[in-house]
Amino acid sequence: MDNKETNIIEKERAKMWQIAFFSLNNTSTNLFLAMMGYVSYYANGVAGLGVVLISFIITGMRIFDGVTDPIIGYFIDKTNGRFGKFRPYIFLGYLFMSISSLVLFFTTDLVPRGIRPIYFIVVYSIYIIGYTFQTAVVKSGQSVITTDVNQRPFITFFDSTFIMLAHGVVAFYVSVYLIGKYKSFTSKALFSEFVITVVIVSGICSILAMIGIWEKDRPKYFRLSQDKKVRIHFKDYFTILKHNKPIRMLVIAAASNKFAQMVYGNAVVPVMLFGILMKNYPLAGLIGVIIGFPNLGIIYLGITFAKKHGQKNALIFSTILAIFFQTIFMLLMLFTDLTKVSLTHINVITVVFLLVFMLLNGVKSISNNIVVPMIADCTDYEYTISGFFVPGIMGALFSFVDKTFSALATGFVGLCLSFIGFKEVFPQVEDALTPQLKGMTVFFYCIIPMIGWLITLFIMRYYKLDKKTMQGLYRERPNKENS
């Protein structure tokens, strides 16, 4: 894989609806991810597995998820059939996730207790393979959607918008509707209805995603030439990591970000924050509806900033703002009575809480999601220095490190909870607030994210693909089809 020739990438644009539809692939996987955020409650409260055991099983499964990425990425780069490079993996990924999720939530508690952990691991492993299929396309397919540096930030806009909507709707659906209907996470019927809903909605998103990438999922967009056969081998992963410094820096920054996100986004943390500390768990779902539209405005401002100053600077600026607003939110948790936050009796603490929460989640949406189109920048950079177009490998390298480090988050949460007495069951909405629970809630929701963001800021000093650098990689294609 040694090519000293500098390659110039022809600039290709996409129609905005294509970018929007393709982003629904990420929405599909995030719906499953949001649902699986509650799998610990099913495994513990319905299937009877212990807190520490299930935490470490899920941690192991997340590591397995990372290990499968290089394999799937390798096959994506090798794929070039009649159905394209990316669409088969969207379809198969959705199929595997749907079947395994239905089997897991409907049958795990029915098998003999002695083999229940093994059964859970096997079924969950099939889910992980499907999840890897579909998420690999999230990170690699964007390289063919558009190579315009002014369009790529819109991938972040649609990703952030749809993911925020997905997680917000799921939070509302669970905290208001499902808990209101079934009362407790120990109800199997709750999870049965949950999984059926996710399978249906995610299927619609997957179909629209395949439609979005359909036109671009053709060899003419894979940067292959007639006189050069691209031969990719597993050893090329190490070669790329060695000479492609931007992807190394990006995966480290994103891994620290993702670890923090998986900690504060763990299903038990909103239960601790809204259900126990604030004594108002339905607010966890309602607040997503309230801040939804204002957050879209914040995300759009972030994308406008990215178009003008580049994706690197947008990541840095949004991360700085996230640290600032998270600090204010931590002070609110420590020194105010958040049980007074009410949507029926508006007061000063309610207004301040909603304002800070809205601003915090808006900038977090930008910093969490803008790293995805930055992978496409690293893919294009790789093409210019080596002549190899390997979106599968680039996405896989990112996902491998990202998922491996973020996998530690689930085990980390379970281990920390065991230190304050929650070894057999997770904290429940009806639990009383103790100093230990309050301190752990602040630690999970505030301290860990700020540490992760500080690491991101440090690493971004060594990431060189700013807007000026990226603009030098492209040239206009004469008689472009998509203008």
Side-chain angles (χ1 to χ4, degrees):
M1 189 174 169
D2 185 19
N3 187 354
K4 301 300 183 182
E5 176 187 358
T6 299
N7 300 275
I8 303 298
I9 301 165
E10 293 177 330
K11 184 185 291 187
E12 292 282 358
R13 293 175 59 83
K15 298 178 180 67
M16 202 57 67
W17 70 264
Q18 291 175 314
I19 297 176
F21 275 27
F22 177 65
S23 293
L24 289 170
N25 181 57
N26 204 4
T27 310
S28 174
T29 60
N30 270 272
L31 285 169
F32 277 103
L33 181 64
M35 178 185 68
M36 285 300 182
Y38 295 89
V39 74
S40 297
Y41 275 105
Y42 168 80
N44 179 235
V46 179
L49 303 181
V51 169
V52 176
L53 174 62
I54 191 60
S55 296
F56 278 96
I57 286 176
I58 294 176
T59 296
M61 289 295 95
R62 290 286 298 176
I63 293 175
F64 173 67
D65 188 9
V67 171
T68 58
D69 275 294
I71 300 172
I72 302 304
Y74 175 82
F75 282 109
I76 286 178
D77 288 329
K78 290 287 190 179
T79 301
N80 187 23
R82 60 181 297 189
F83 299 110
K85 181 184 288 289
F86 304 106
R87 284 169 290 161
Y89 294 93
I90 297 176
F91 174 77
L92 290 174
Y94 168 74
L95 189 66
F96 283 11
M97 285 193 294
S98 298
I99 295 173
S100 59
S101 297
L102 290 167
V103 171
L104 189 148
F105 284 108
F106 272 92
T107 67
T108 301
D109 61 295
L110 301 178
V111 303
R113 184 173 292 273
I115 64 170
R116 205 169 288 174
I118 301 299
Y119 183 85
F120 182 90
I121 290 171
V122 171
V123 177
Y124 201 96
S125 297
I126 298 172
Y127 161 80
I128 288 295
I129 293 172
Y131 182 77
T132 303
F133 272 37
Q134 209 161 346
T135 54
V137 176
V138 169
K139 298 175 177 66
S140 57
Q142 60 187 320
S143 299
V144 300
I145 285 287
T146 178
T147 59
D148 188 340
V149 294
N150 290 320
Q151 265 200 331
R152 274 193 177 155
F154 280 103
I155 298 175
T156 304
F157 175 75
F158 288 115
D159 271 352
S160 299
T161 301
F162 295 153
I163 290 172
M164 180 183 67
L165 181 64
H167 284 274
V169 168
V170 168
F172 180 86
Y173 178 63
V174 173
S175 63
V176 177
Y177 172 72
L178 289 179
I179 288 295
K181 182 177 180 179
Y182 298 104
K183 307 306 179 186
S184 171
F185 285 117
T186 58
S187 168
K188 180 179 178 178
L190 181 152
F191 293 100
S192 299
E193 184 171 344
F194 195 179
V195 67
I196 291 172
T197 302
V198 168
V199 166
I200 293 171
V201 178
S202 181
I204 295 171
C205 292
S206 297
I207 292 171
L208 292 175
M210 287 190 285
I211 293 172
I213 200 173
W214 200 287
E215 181 184 342
K216 296 300 185 83
D217 197 13
R218 292 183 289 166
K220 64 178 291 187
Y221 297 105
F222 300 159
R223 300 173 204 160
L224 303 176
S225 62
Q226 297 298 322
D227 59 342
K228 180 173 67 176
K229 280 192 173 182
V230 179
R231 297 187 181 276
I232 303 298
H233 306 282
F234 277 109
K235 64 182 178 63
D236 294 326
Y237 284 82
F238 303 100
T239 304
I240 289 172
L241 277 176
K242 181 178 179 180
H243 70 231
N244 194 316
K245 186 176 181 179
I247 194 65
R248 295 203 308 272
M249 297 300 100
L250 185 63
V251 296
I252 295 172
S256 65
N257 241 15
K258 192 60 175 287
F259 178 85
Q261 183 184 358
M262 293 298 290
V263 169
Y264 70 73
N266 189 289
V268 72
V269 177
V271 170
M272 295 167 68
L273 173 60
F274 292 98
I276 300 175
L277 192 149
M278 298 179 66
K279 295 180 171 39
N280 190 358
Y281 187 57
L283 184 63
L286 293 170
I287 199 171
V289 177
I290 294 170
I291 68 174
F293 284 108
N295 268 356
L296 291 181
I298 296 171
I299 294 169
Y300 185 78
L301 289 175
I303 300 313
T304 302
F305 182 91
K307 287 176 63 181
K308 183 176 181 180
H309 300 286
Q311 298 186 124
K312 173 186 174 180
N313 287 331
L315 174 59
I316 292 172
F317 188 54
S318 62
T319 301
I320 292 172
L321 289 177
I323 294 172
F324 175 74
F325 292 124
Q326 189 73 77
T327 302
I328 297 176
F329 194 84
M330 181 174 64
L331 295 176
L332 289 175
M333 292 176 67
L334 289 172
F335 302 111
T336 65
D337 184 3
L338 292 183
T339 61
K340 294 181 178 178
V341 174
S342 171
L343 300 180
T344 55
H345 299 89
I346 304 298
N347 49 40
V348 174
I349 187 63
T350 300
V351 173
V352 173
F353 178 87
L354 290 176
L355 180 62
V356 175
F357 195 83
M358 175 192 71
L359 294 170
L360 172 61
N361 279 270
V363 294
K364 282 198 299 189
S365 292
I366 298 169
S367 62
N368 288 339
N369 295 304
I370 202 164
V371 294
V372 177
M374 291 172 72
I375 304 170
D377 291 347
C378 294
T379 300
D380 292 344
Y381 173 73
E382 177 63 33
Y383 179 73
T384 63
I385 63 175
S386 71
F388 287 85
F389 179 61
V390 285
I393 285 181
M394 299 304 289
L397 287 172
F398 179 91
S399 289
F400 173 69
V401 178
D402 174 68
K403 290 178 180 178
T404 301
F405 277 86
S406 67
L408 302 175
T410 302
F412 177 77
V413 170
L415 192 61
C416 289
L417 288 174
S418 71
F419 290 152
I420 61 170
F422 292 90
K423 296 180 180 180
E424 300 299 327
V425 295
F426 285 102
Q428 300 291 327
V429 173
E430 61 271 14
D431 288 347
L433 179 65
T434 63
Q436 292 83 2
L437 266 175
K438 182 174 181 177
M440 194 60 71
T441 305
V442 172
F443 180 66
F444 285 155
Y445 200 80
C446 301
I447 302 298
I448 291 297
M450 288 193 286
I451 293 174
W453 294 331
L454 287 171
I455 293 173
T456 295
L457 290 178
F458 175 77
I459 293 298
M460 279 294 102
R461 296 171 58 189
Y462 303 98
Y463 179 84
K464 69 178 183 179
L465 299 185
D466 54 19
K467 184 176 182 180
K468 183 178 179 180
T469 301
M470 291 307 302
Q471 286 176 327
L473 301 182
Y474 306 110
R475 70 182 176 200
E476 296 288 344
R477 173 192 280 273
N479 302 319
K480 296 189 294 297
E481 292 181 5
N482 302 297
S483 58

